[in-house]
Amino acid sequence: TDQLRKYFNDNPDYGYQLIKIFDLKGEKKYSIDEIFEFISDNEVDEIYSSVAEVNNQELTKLIEYADNNLKILKFLPDNKEIYSKKLDFTYYGYLPILSMRRIPTDEPINLFIKRSFDIFFSLVVIIGILSWLTPILGLIIKFESKGPIFFKQKRNGLDYKEFYCYKFRSMKPNPEAHLHQIRNVLKGDMSVVGPRPHMVSHTHMYAEKIDKFMVRHFIKPGITGLAQVSGFRGEVEDDNFITNRVKYDIFYLENWSILMDLRIVFKTVFDALGGDDKAY
């Protein structure tokens, strides 16, 4: 409320004139009916109400008064953490529904576009690169050390479901080997772009420590992601590091577009060709 008051007073050229602020709970509190009388007497055009300051009964009366007296009614959200996001407003028949966030890939057409891109990209890589690179890397790995060419490891994916992530083994069985196997994308367990999947044990740990960590699992994990091309890739250095990674992941899932995916892929390739040690 104070911020809105300051906004109106500091920007008179916007055409708003703040008439009065009413307190419903303080020492000099007003009744809801006294407020209505003032609004009618002073020909107020718009009413702004703090959500936390009105109870259900007052809220109902406020809405009815505004509708019946041709007043524009707007609400001030009180939880910045929630209402700073893009809320999704839709109708189920005639019933208005407000969702915490809009996820573009929930739309069938967007899901089709993203999945088509994943299939096309993975086939290009498998046929054009891995078809000849896999035997070469396999021989090198076999010559360098004993053990399998590939290893698999459980990760958490879409809806927190576990899946096996397949990778080339490095000189020794290493869960952080840098070169992925693209087959997870073709199978549909992963996407080319999305939040990077963590090992199951790490996911459980971060879910308990990092706020909103689980939001990442509303979409498929990716080989690369917005967080990775924004400086938050590689080993997790501290809680602040993973917190920022989560923020970028959530921004990605709320603002996805095919152009964003393409930019992230090109940036990932550019970083890798540039010799970035963390570009994976």
Side-chain angles (χ1 to χ4, degrees), residues 11 33-34 41 46 54 69 76 82 96 99 114 121 126 159 173 176 202 208-209 222 225 247 251 255 271 279:
N11 299 278
D33 292 323
E34 289 176 323
D41 291 343
E46 296 190 4
V54 292
N69 290 273
L76 281 71
I82 294 178
S99 302
K114 187 167 179 60
F121 186 91
I126 290 173
D159 296 329
E176 296 302 325
H202 288 177
E208 295 178 354
K209 295 174 58 179
K247 289 181 180 179
F251 179 88
N255 297 274
D271 289 344

Side-chain angles (χ1 to χ4, degrees), residues 71-173:
K71 306 296 182 183
I72 297 174
L73 177 61
K74 299 181 180 180
F75 292 98
L76 281 71
D78 301 282
N79 190 324
K80 296 178 183 177
E81 187 65 26
I82 294 178
Y83 290 97
S84 61
K85 301 181 179 300
K86 290 183 176 179
L87 298 183
D88 183 32
F89 185 83
T90 187
Y91 279 91
Y92 290 3
Y94 294 103
L95 178 66
I97 300 294
L98 189 65
S99 302
M100 280 295 297
R101 58 176 46 84
R102 175 180 176 270
I103 302 178
T105 50
D106 283 345
E107 297 291 332
I109 183 62
N110 291 335
L111 185 63
F112 173 78
I113 292 172
K114 187 167 179 60
R115 182 59 183 147
S116 298
F117 174 73
D118 288 341
I119 293 174
F120 173 78
F121 186 91
S122 58
L123 286 176
V124 169
V125 173
I126 290 173
I127 297 173
I129 300 177
L130 293 182
S131 59
W132 57 267
L133 184 60
T134 298
I136 296 174
L137 290 177
L139 289 174
I140 294 174
I141 292 172
K142 282 293 186 182
F143 281 132
E144 290 291 338
S145 62
K146 295 180 179 180
I149 298 174
F150 303 99
F151 76 94
K152 63 181 182 179
Q153 185 181 63
K154 279 190 175 182
R155 300 289 172 106
N156 292 104
L158 178 66
D159 296 329
Y160 203 53
K161 294 179 181 177
E162 294 182 4
F163 69 96
Y164 281 108
C165 181
Y166 294 89
K167 293 185 177 183
F168 283 108
R169 180 176 60 83
S170 58
M171 298 306 130
K172 58 182 179 179

Side-chain angles (χ1 to χ4, degrees), residues 25-265:
K25 295 182 178 180
E27 294 181 359
K28 299 180 180 181
K29 63 181 181 180
Y30 289 81
S31 69
I32 195 75
D33 292 323
E34 289 176 323
I35 296 174
F36 293 158
E37 184 179 354
F38 179 91
I39 293 173
S40 298
D41 291 343
N42 291 272
E43 299 182 352
V44 173
D45 298 310
E46 296 190 4
I47 306 168
Y48 291 79
S49 173
S50 174
V51 174
E53 296 300 314
V54 292
N55 57 40
N56 288 340
Q57 183 180 4
E58 292 169 337
L59 180 61
T60 300
K61 292 182 68 174
L62 187 57
I63 293 173
E64 289 178 351
Y65 172 82
D67 285 345
N68 292 325
N69 290 273
L70 207 61
K71 306 296 182 183
I72 297 174
L73 177 61
K74 299 181 180 180
F75 292 98
L76 281 71
D78 301 282
N79 190 324
K80 296 178 183 177
E81 187 65 26
I82 294 178
Y83 290 97
S84 61
K85 301 181 179 300
K86 290 183 176 179
L87 298 183
D88 183 32
F89 185 83
T90 187
Y91 279 91
Y92 290 3
Y94 294 103
L95 178 66
I97 300 294
L98 189 65
S99 302
M100 280 295 297
R101 58 176 46 84
R102 175 180 176 270
I103 302 178
T105 50
D106 283 345
E107 297 291 332
I109 183 62
N110 291 335
L111 185 63
F112 173 78
I113 292 172
K114 187 167 179 60
R115 182 59 183 147
S116 298
F117 174 73
D118 288 341
I119 293 174
F120 173 78
F121 186 91
S122 58
L123 286 176
V124 169
V125 173
I126 290 173
I127 297 173
I129 300 177
L130 293 182
S131 59
W132 57 267
L133 184 60
T134 298
I136 296 174
L137 290 177
L139 289 174
I140 294 174
I141 292 172
K142 282 293 186 182
F143 281 132
E144 290 291 338
S145 62
K146 295 180 179 180
I149 298 174
F150 303 99
F151 76 94
K152 63 181 182 179
Q153 185 181 63
K154 279 190 175 182
R155 300 289 172 106
N156 292 104
L158 178 66
D159 296 329
Y160 203 53
K161 294 179 181 177
E162 294 182 4
F163 69 96
Y164 281 108
C165 181
Y166 294 89
K167 293 185 177 183
F168 283 108
R169 180 176 60 83
S170 58
M171 298 306 130
K172 58 182 179 179
N174 178 6
E176 296 302 325
H178 293 185
L179 186 58
H180 298 75
Q181 253 296 18
I182 199 75
R183 62 173 292 183
N184 289 105
V185 175
L186 189 59
K187 285 178 59 181
D189 293 327
M190 294 178 64
S191 183
V192 175
V193 182
R196 284 270 292 164
H198 293 273
M199 289 185 293
V200 172
S201 60
H202 288 177
T203 299
H204 294 328
M205 177 182 66
Y206 292 139
E208 295 178 354
K209 295 174 58 179
I210 306 299
D211 186 36
K212 295 180 178 57
F213 182 84
M214 293 299 294
V215 175
R216 308 166 75 251
H217 299 94
F218 278 127
I219 59 173
K220 290 180 183 179
I223 291 175
T224 185
L226 181 62
Q228 281 62 50
V229 299
S230 302
F232 297 98
R233 55 184 176 269
E235 298 292 337
V236 176
E237 300 168 0
D238 51 36
D239 287 350
N240 185 60
F241 187 92
I242 191 66
T243 298
N244 283 304
R245 180 182 286 182
V246 169
K247 289 181 180 179
Y248 277 99
D249 289 338
I250 294 176
F251 179 88
Y252 170 80
L253 72 89
E254 291 180 342
N255 297 274
W256 173 87
S257 70
I258 190 62
L259 291 178
M260 181 185 293
D261 273 5
L262 291 172
R263 286 196 296 267
I264 292 172
V265 169

Side-chain angles (χ1 to χ4, degrees), residues 266-276 279:
F266 287 134
K267 182 67 164 59
T268 301
V269 173
F270 179 81
D271 289 344
L273 295 177
D276 191 329

